[in-house]
Amino acid sequence: MSSEHEQQRSRLPSEHTEQPSDEPWADLELTLPHNRSPTGIVSFVECALVELTHEDVGAEFVSTSVAGVKRTQFIAVDAVGQRFKKRYFDERLGWHETTVSRKAVREELVNRLSRSSLGSDVGQHGVVDDQDKFQVMPVPEL
């Protein structure tokens, strides 16, 4: 009887992997500007940090400006989620990598997502040309 239950359980994940929205981190995406409250942003960032710690996923913040595209990626380095690899890409300077604390990641993401919620990314003519984006995705896709 337990083998039947194990067979059922083993089939369920394969059925779910066909639909990426079933992953717990799949909806951790935010296009900026947005209308989330400061408390909502903190909660969103905490959820992202939990997923980075427990799943094989990373977070990426992409911003576009006149100076070009900039990418900041965060990937958990240890199993307890206290240290993260921070990878930064600037079209002019290339890639830079460092290790940062969970607190630093949390503060940076809360600050970036809060600052953009004010609608300050509106272009010269009142149009948002390229929206900044934060998302959680599998590490190989970063």
Side-chain angles (χ1 to χ4, degrees):
M1 186 159 148
S2 67
S3 64
E4 288 177 30
H5 179 67
E6 287 175 20
Q7 286 176 348
Q8 268 187 322
R9 265 193 2 200
S10 68
R11 276 186 293 207
L12 290 176
S14 66
E15 293 169 6
H16 291 300
T17 56
E18 293 174 9
Q19 297 178 353
S21 63
D22 289 341
E23 298 293 343
W25 46 265
D27 61 346
L28 290 174
E29 184 175 303
L30 189 58
T31 302
L32 311 170
H34 57 77
N35 59 0
R36 287 187 183 239
S37 69
T39 305
I41 292 169
V42 170
S43 177
F44 178 83
V45 168
E46 286 298 332
C47 288
L49 289 173
V50 167
E51 292 303 326
L52 293 179
T53 304
H54 298 293
E55 299 289 334
D56 190 24
V57 295
E60 181 176 59
F61 185 86
V62 179
S63 62
T64 306
S65 69
V66 177
V69 175
K70 296 179 182 178
R71 296 179 178 277
T72 306
Q73 300 173 343
F74 298 99
I75 301 167
V77 173
D78 59 16
V80 294
Q82 294 303 308
R83 294 180 341 138
F84 290 81
K85 183 186 325 179
K86 176 182 177 181
R87 300 190 301 200
Y88 177 76
F89 174 78
D90 182 314
E91 286 182 339
R92 297 172 294 152
L93 304 172
W95 285 98
H96 174 72
E97 188 173 300
T98 187
T99 301
V100 295
S101 69
R102 179 185 191 95
K103 179 182 177 187
V105 174
R106 182 183 188 276
E107 288 175 0
E108 182 171 343
L109 290 176
V110 167
N111 287 337
R112 282 185 176 208
L113 297 176
S114 296
R115 187 175 56 238
S116 295
S117 67
L118 302 174
S120 60
D121 295 338
V122 177
Q124 267 185 340
H125 304 289
V127 177
V128 178
D129 296 328
D130 294 308
Q131 294 181 328
D132 292 350
K133 185 174 185 178
F134 172 84
Q135 65 182 346
V136 174
M137 64 181 77
V139 171
E141 292 180 22
L142 290 174

